[in-house]
Every structure is written in structure tokens, then in C-alpha cells.
Amino acid sequence: MTQELIQNLIDVMDIAHSQRAELTELLPPLQEAQDQIHYSKKESCQNLTDYFDKVKENVIENINKRLTHLLSKVESIANEALEPLRQCEDVINQSLAAAARIMQDGKALLNNNPADNIEGLVKFKDNPDIKALSSIPEVPSLPDVPYITIEVSSELDQKLAEFIGQEGRILERAPVQIIDIIERPGGLTVKWSEIDEEVEPGDFCLEFTSGNIKFDSKSTTFHSAYKGPATSHTVRHLRTNMPYSFRVRCRCENSNKWSAWSVPRVAMTTIPHYEWSICNPEYDTSNENKTATRTNEGETKVLYSSSNCYLAGGSVTFRLLDAGESSPLDGVGLSIDNQDTSTLQRENAVFLTTRGSVFVNGQEMKNKLPDLTKGSKLNVETEVLSSGKIRVSLEVQDKAVTFDWKINEELNITQLAGIGLGGSAGKSLYFGIIFSHEDWKIGVE
């Protein structure tokens, strides 16, 4: 009985120990979640304050501009209307002065025996002021002159209040979020999805930066990685074992307004980038072995990748950086092994010639692709089917060929384990090129 109680005590302590370890592991992500709420709260409050302060400044500035304009208009109308009245007033005053002088001169003549002053009477008759008495200016009636009034909207303040009352929206989360990041050779495939059912995105924008950015900081410089309608994108040419932060946003169709950024997601790739083998003397490699150049016209051999690093289910891109003389057996392909260096037009290989012919397990397909020349890009995508076959898509210049590739099942167990085709593991493949003449230069990414 005692032993059972002791064992029960030990079992409970083990459970408590395990639970304590699990609960302790939950504290850092819990703290990170709290930090995100506090940071986003502080940032949102500051952004709101800055925005509405700027709005108030602009509104006051525009009100003052409008007031100045209207006051200037009132001044202009008044000045324009007063000018003819001032001229009329000047004429009246001049006529009044002339009449006063005439009355003064006439009175003087009448008081000094005008009958004996013929010369004075003649001179008075020719007085120019008398002509001024003959013209009486017309003074406009009050209805004919401006009475300046103003007309303003009595609903402006109400409309402004209603408009301002509808400005701004608080979002708990951005309408699109990153849902998964998958490691690729020398890159990462980022997947995202919209979480707001009311938003129907037409385009997405993916950006990234090096380092662990927990929050969307304005001081951090992000680089554009993708813009378009797709919901995933592979960012290439990344350093292995270096953290990168990603964020995504969206905009609706027929709109130029982008949404808020998603929460940054941090990831890194531990898989080295694709590279060519350095063991083939017929080719030189450069750019961290991502570029291969056919250097001489000796024995024609296949240059394979440094390992069976291409995992079926992913993608690989080949860029023709330069081109030389083409031969029928030149091209690019995939293979389950790197044993045969004489050709890729064989069993257990997929091969695209520079002249656009596609060979699957050594058999030529009817469909053709454009020729591979300088500047061409060959994009290869694969998918492992439940039947064990590999669905292959080859695309050159927006033209694609898709087919199901059946691997030779007669390989022994050792070979299957060696190339990664055994069990439920992913299918690891080699990629390769073969060129008969020099000057061919091809990069892989």
C-alpha cells in the first residue's frame, strides 16, 4: 500500500513537472502577444492623434483661405461699385463750386451799378463756370447700386460633423495575414490569406527586410518582393540561417488605396541555394556556383547540380544569360540521379532541348516550347501525386507544357534511399544542363 502511494506521488510530481515545463514555454509567446497589443495600441493612438491634428490644421488653413478669398471678393465688388459714384460726386462738387462762384460774381456785379459796367456783364456772360450749370449728373437709385450680402450654407457645420464622424476605422487586425512560410533552397515561399470577409482583394503587396522585426516600425526599410493577385510568392536569393521579416497588404479591385500591413512574420531558410557541381572541367561556375558557363569544346558532358537538392513539389528557375551555337542534344533537365553524364535524353529524366523539344524518359512529346536563347527563362514546377508520379510543368515565354512523369520503379532499395524516393519522403532530384559548344551561360535560382 505504501509503495503504491509513493508511486502515485512520483507520478503526480512527474505530471506536475511536465505541465510546469509546458506552461513555462507558453509565457514567452504570451508576453509577445501582450507586447504586440500594447505596441499597436500606442502606435494607433499616436497615428490617430497625428492624423486628426493634421486634418485640423488643413481645415483651419482652408477655412482661412476661403475667408480671405470671400473678403477680397466683397472688397472688389464694393470698390467697383463705388468708383462711378465717386466720379459722380466729383462732378456734383465741381458744379456746386462753379455755381457758388457764379452767384458770388453776379452778386458783386448787381451791387456795383451793372448798367454802367457793360464790360463786366460781357465778361460774366462768357464765364466758363456757366457751362457747368447746364449738365446735371444722374445719380443712380438705390435699387440700381449693389447692396452686398452673403450666402452661406447653414448645413456646413452639420455636414462637416457628419463627414468627420464617419472618418477613421479601427481594425483589430489587417484584412490579410501571412499564414505560412516554407523553406526553399536559398529562399522562402510566403503564403497569405484574407481574413476579412467584407474585403475582396484584387492585388497583394509583399515586402521583406532582414532581421527580426516584431512590429511594423516606420524606421525599418522594407523591400518590395511581389505585387499581384497571387496568394503566395517565393522570395529568392536569401542568405541561409539569417532571419527575414515579411509583411503583406492588399487593395480592392479598381482601388488605389492599400490596406494596413499584416503582422510581420519572421522566418529563415536553412537550405542552401541551388548550385552547380564544381567537378565538371567542361564548365566554369561563378556567383556562388549559381551560374555555369560552358568554357571549351572538349568532351560533351552533363553538368549536374551539386546534390539532389531539388525537392519535388517546389520550383526552380533557369535563366539563359548567354548563348552559343546550338546542338540538338543541348538543353536543361531533371534527373533522379547523376550517374549518366553523357545525356539527359534518357530514362528517369525530363529534358528540354534548346530547340523547344520535350523528352520524358527518353521519349519526345508532341508539344513543343519556344527555343531557349539568350534572355530566355525556364521555370520548372513539380507536384508529387498520390500515384507516385510527378506532375511537371515547364514554362518558357508564357507558354507551358504540363505532364505526369513516371519514375522507373525497377530501382533497388539502395537507389531509392540514395535519391530520396523511398517511403513517404519527398522526391529529391538533380537538375542538369548539357551543351556541346562554348559560351552557353545559365543561372539557377
Side-chain angles (χ1 to χ4, degrees):
M1 180 68 178
T2 302
Q3 189 63 33
E4 290 181 2
L5 291 174
I6 294 174
Q7 185 60 47
N8 178 70
L9 173 64
I10 294 173
D11 292 342
V12 171
M13 290 182 65
D14 286 342
I15 294 172
H17 181 270
S18 298
Q19 187 169 7
R20 184 177 68 173
E22 292 180 9
L23 292 173
T24 301
E25 291 178 354
L26 294 176
L27 289 177
L30 178 62
Q31 184 62 50
E32 189 173 353
Q34 292 176 336
D35 291 344
Q36 177 173 302
I37 293 174
H38 289 309
Y39 176 86
S40 60
K41 170 193 170 183
K42 180 180 178 181
E43 183 183 47
S44 295
C45 289
Q46 186 61 52
N47 289 340
L48 283 170
T49 301
D50 292 344
Y51 172 75
F52 280 101
D53 282 347
K54 186 65 176 178
V55 169
K56 285 190 289 185
E57 180 182 332
N58 290 336
V59 168
I60 292 173
E61 180 182 351
N62 285 309
I63 287 176
N64 289 334
K65 283 183 178 179
R66 184 59 178 167
L67 175 59
T68 300
H69 171 75
L70 293 175
L71 290 175
S72 175
K73 187 70 174 175
V74 170
E75 189 71 21
S76 175
I77 293 173
N79 288 337
E80 185 176 347
L82 286 171
E83 181 59 28
L85 298 180
R86 291 192 185 102
Q87 293 176 359
C88 182
E89 184 179 19
D90 289 342
V91 171
I92 292 174
N93 288 332
Q94 291 172 7
S95 296
L96 287 173
R101 288 193 297 271
I102 289 172
M103 291 177 65
Q104 184 177 1
D105 291 346
K107 185 178 181 180
L109 284 173
L110 290 174
N111 291 334
N112 291 288
N113 196 8
D116 296 333
N117 192 2
I118 301 300
E119 182 180 355
L121 292 174
V122 172
K123 185 178 180 180
F124 180 83
K125 181 181 178 183
D126 296 332
N127 191 331
D129 286 338
I130 297 177
K131 296 180 180 179
L133 298 178
S134 62
S135 60
I136 301 296
E138 183 179 353
V139 176
S141 60
L142 292 181
D144 293 331
V145 297
Y147 184 95
I148 303 173
T149 58
I150 66 169
E151 186 178 88
V152 294
S153 173
S154 60
E155 300 177 351
L156 177 60
D157 54 348
Q158 181 181 348
K159 290 180 178 178
L160 283 174
E162 291 177 355
F163 186 80
I164 293 173
Q166 296 174 357
E167 178 62 13
R169 189 162 67 106
I170 306 302
L171 305 175
E172 290 189 11
R173 293 188 296 169
V176 59
Q177 295 289 337
I178 295 172
I179 57 174
D180 195 14
I181 301 180
I182 303 171
E183 288 187 68
R184 298 296 184 196
L188 293 164
T189 296
V190 184
K191 297 182 178 181
W192 55 86
S193 176
E194 57 269 25
I195 61 173
D196 189 343
E197 296 181 354
E198 296 181 1
V199 176
E200 296 183 1
D203 285 313
F204 299 93
C205 175
L206 174 69
E207 292 187 346
F208 74 102
T209 188
S210 58
N212 187 343
I213 308 300
K214 293 184 179 180
F215 307 119
D216 185 9
S217 173
K218 294 179 180 179
S219 61
T220 303
T221 301
F222 280 80
H223 308 283
S224 178
Y226 172 79
K227 282 184 181 179
T231 55
S232 66
H233 179 73
T234 299
V235 182
R236 306 180 189 275
H237 309 298
L238 301 180
R239 294 182 179 274
T240 55
N241 301 311
M242 174 180 283
Y244 290 89
S245 299
F246 297 87
R247 65 182 185 180
V248 67
R249 60 181 178 177
C250 65
R251 64 181 176 187
C252 297
E253 294 183 5
N254 303 320
S255 174
N256 293 324
K257 183 179 180 181
W258 289 97
S259 71
W261 289 105
S262 67
V263 175
R265 283 282 299 271
V266 181
M268 69 172 68
T269 180
T270 58
I271 307 173
H273 57 72
Y274 293 131
E275 58 182 80
W276 301 104
S277 170
I278 59 174
C279 300
N280 191 325
E282 312 300 327
Y283 296 86
D284 280 343
T285 59
S286 58
N287 188 24
E288 297 180 311
N289 300 324
K290 291 184 288 187
T291 302
T293 305
R294 182 72 157 96
T295 55
N296 62 68
E297 296 189 12
E299 186 177 0
T300 300
K301 291 184 178 181
V302 178
L303 174 66
Y304 286 102
S305 51
S306 60
S307 65
N308 55 340
C309 55
Y310 175 69
L311 186 65
S315 64
V316 58
T317 299
F318 302 93
R319 296 183 183 274
L320 274 294
L321 306 176
D322 209 344
E325 184 180 345
S326 177
S327 296
L329 297 181
D330 291 349
V332 186
L334 297 176
S335 171
I336 65 170
D337 62 62
N338 63 348
Q339 302 303 311
D340 191 339
T341 60
S342 62
T343 182
L344 283 168
Q345 189 177 322
R346 58 178 173 80
E347 189 72 19
N348 291 324
V350 171
F351 182 53
L352 173 66
T353 71
T354 55
R355 300 179 182 181
S357 298
V358 180
F359 290 84
V360 182
N361 290 335
Q363 303 297 314
E364 184 174 2
M365 295 181 61
K366 293 182 179 179
N367 295 335
K368 294 191 65 175
L369 289 171
D371 293 351
L372 296 179
T373 59
K374 181 179 178 180
S376 295
K377 181 179 75 171
L378 166 62
N379 187 57
V380 181
E381 293 189 357
T382 58
E383 176 188 358
V384 180
L385 304 178
S386 59
S387 63
K389 295 180 180 180
I390 300 177
R391 179 158 294 166
V392 182
S393 176
L394 308 177
E395 181 180 355
V396 178
Q397 297 178 9
D398 296 327
K399 185 176 181 180
V401 171
T402 302
F403 53 88
D404 293 343
W405 176 25
K406 183 179 181 181
I407 303 296
N408 188 346
E409 298 178 355
E410 295 180 0
L411 295 172
N412 59 45
I413 299 299
T414 302
Q415 287 175 303
L416 288 172
I419 63 175
L421 292 174
S424 59
K427 293 177 168 57
S428 299
L429 306 170
Y430 289 87
F431 53 81
I433 56 173
I434 182 169
F435 295 107
S436 304
H437 303 283
E438 60 183 349
D439 295 334
W440 287 92
K441 186 175 183 180
I442 187 168
V444 61
E445 57 187 47

